[in-house]
Amino acid sequence: MAFEIINPHGQANIVFICEHASNHIPPKYDNLGLDDDLLNLHIAWDIGISEVTKNLSLRLNAPAILASFSRLLIDANRGISQTGLIPEQSDGYKIKSNCNLSEVEREKRINQYYRPFHNKVGVIIQEKAKSEKAPLIINMHSFTPQMNGFNRPWHSGMLWNKDPRVAIVLKNKLEGRGYCVGNNKPYSGRDLFHTMNIHGDSHGFPHVMIEIRQDEINTAEGVEKWSRILTKELKDIRNLPEMSKIKHF
Ligand SMILES: [Zn+2]
């Protein structure tokens, strides 16, 4: 199965999407040639984010769709022709089985994993879009505390491309709680925003890509803390009139 759905009939007009929830690689791929312990690293998935997303889905009573495959198999937050769709290396680790991939194998991964995931996201959002209010689309990710020797100071980052509605409000709310929050950090939604471009922006629905630093959510206490904070703030954001409008920026 390419995806897992939590709370499919959740009534809130919110949809959670999590492309990097799982480090699962189907057995036939033999770990893509990697040692088991490498699959527990951030290269294979977004540590901690699956738990936070599931909590938010249940507490806000909204559906969540989580990919059931590792981004090393195929990365659902990339366009089909984008570099890194099937990564040949990640953070210095070579993914041998992904190098010199045949066109047949590439198509197989797209058709068995990538497309079913995005098609299902589309169906869930379409269902929500029948409401008079625009659905709120929330994309959940986590990021590593260091990259290329640089310590990333942000507890969380709000990524956006054209529509800043949710990103700016949520950033201000978290800063009000004393957190260091990146505006299009640790990287920019102008560069990497595939899922939100196609499922949020293209429809004019309010959306944001939330990134949480992994050392904030790699314990049960951390998961609980961020689940509680985001439940409160997203509930308030859902109620803002501005967030019910379809708007093209
Ligand atoms: Zn991610």
Side-chain angles (χ1 to χ4, degrees), residues 62-107:
I65 176 163
L66 295 83
S68 304
F69 52 90
S70 169
R71 66 163 150 232
L72 295 178
L73 188 70
I74 188 162
D75 189 337
N77 194 26
R78 294 286 196 288
I80 279 181
S81 53
Q82 213 173 343
T83 319
L85 176 74
I86 298 176
E88 297 188 353
Q89 71 87 34
S90 180
D91 204 13
Y93 296 99
K94 189 170 182 189
I95 320 299
K96 282 190 207 133
S97 303
N98 288 351
C99 299
N100 306 311
L101 205 65
S102 72
E103 196 51 39
V104 171
E105 176 57 27
R106 183 185 134 87
E107 284 298 314

Side-chain angles (χ1 to χ4, degrees), residues 19-20 45-46 49 71 77 140-143 187 209 211:
E19 306 96 316
H20 302 151
W45 60 340
D46 282 5
I49 206 62
R71 66 163 150 232
N77 194 26
M140 300 297 295
H141 291 264
S142 73
F143 64 96
Y187 59 92
M209 184 168 162
E211 287 268 7

Side-chain angles (χ1 to χ4, degrees), residues 53-66:
T53 304
K54 288 176 180 178
N55 283 344
L56 293 176
S57 162
L58 295 172
R59 294 179 194 187
L60 285 162
N61 195 22
I65 176 163
L66 295 83

Side-chain angles (χ1 to χ4, degrees), residues 10-247:
Q11 290 296 304
N13 200 6
I14 306 175
V15 176
F16 291 99
I17 308 169
C18 191
E19 306 96 316
H20 302 151
S22 173
N23 62 351
H24 179 68
I25 293 173
K28 65 179 172 184
Y29 288 103
D30 195 20
N31 280 0
L32 298 171
L34 299 169
D35 291 339
D36 277 341
D37 51 346
L38 289 182
L39 294 186
N40 290 320
L41 299 182
H42 67 276
I43 61 168
W45 60 340
D46 282 5
I47 292 164
I49 206 62
S50 157
E51 291 84 350
V52 175
T53 304
K54 288 176 180 178
N55 283 344
L56 293 176
S57 162
L58 295 172
R59 294 179 194 187
L60 285 162
N61 195 22
I65 176 163
L66 295 83
S68 304
F69 52 90
S70 169
R71 66 163 150 232
L72 295 178
L73 188 70
I74 188 162
D75 189 337
N77 194 26
R78 294 286 196 288
I80 279 181
S81 53
Q82 213 173 343
T83 319
L85 176 74
I86 298 176
E88 297 188 353
Q89 71 87 34
S90 180
D91 204 13
Y93 296 99
K94 189 170 182 189
I95 320 299
K96 282 190 207 133
S97 303
N98 288 351
C99 299
N100 306 311
L101 205 65
S102 72
E103 196 51 39
V104 171
E105 176 57 27
R106 183 185 134 87
E107 284 298 314
K108 198 189 273 180
R109 292 191 201 178
I110 290 171
N111 291 325
Q112 287 184 355
Y113 302 97
Y114 184 96
R115 280 200 215 283
F117 173 78
H118 280 293
N119 289 346
K120 190 69 185 177
V121 172
V123 167
I124 291 174
I125 289 176
Q126 255 175 23
E127 195 54 40
K128 288 293 178 198
K130 290 177 183 166
S131 155
E132 278 171 32
K133 292 180 175 180
L136 183 61
I137 315 296
I138 307 292
N139 191 204
M140 300 297 295
H141 291 264
S142 73
F143 64 96
T144 56
Q146 289 99 23
M147 185 60 89
N148 301 326
F150 172 68
N151 281 329
R152 292 161 150 182
W154 316 282
H155 297 105
S156 178
M158 298 302 133
L159 275 61
W160 57 285
N161 181 8
K162 294 180 215 155
D163 180 351
R165 276 182 285 176
V166 186
I168 299 304
V169 173
L170 187 51
K171 178 178 184 290
N172 290 339
K173 284 173 172 288
L174 295 176
E175 283 176 342
R177 289 173 174 264
Y179 290 102
C180 174
V181 185
N183 181 8
N184 266 333
K185 301 276 195 257
Y187 59 92
S188 176
R190 307 240 158 78
D191 302 326
L192 184 57
F193 208 58
H194 176 72
T195 297
M196 285 298 88
N197 281 336
I198 59 169
H199 294 297
D201 182 74
S202 69
H203 304 291
F205 298 150
H207 60 277
V208 67
M209 184 168 162
I210 299 176
E211 287 268 7
I212 306 173
R213 205 175 63 204
Q214 286 168 4
D215 57 343
E216 285 286 312
I217 52 172
N218 62 359
T219 62
E221 294 75 26
V223 166
E224 176 55 30
K225 182 183 80 171
W226 279 93
S227 300
R228 208 169 48 232
I229 292 169
L230 290 175
T231 296
K232 161 79 173 81
E233 303 303 3
L234 289 174
K235 189 184 249 177
D236 289 352
I237 285 174
R238 175 62 286 178
N239 289 330
L240 296 173
E242 181 67 5
M243 304 299 175
S244 295
K245 293 177 189 156
I246 291 177
K247 268 190 167 182

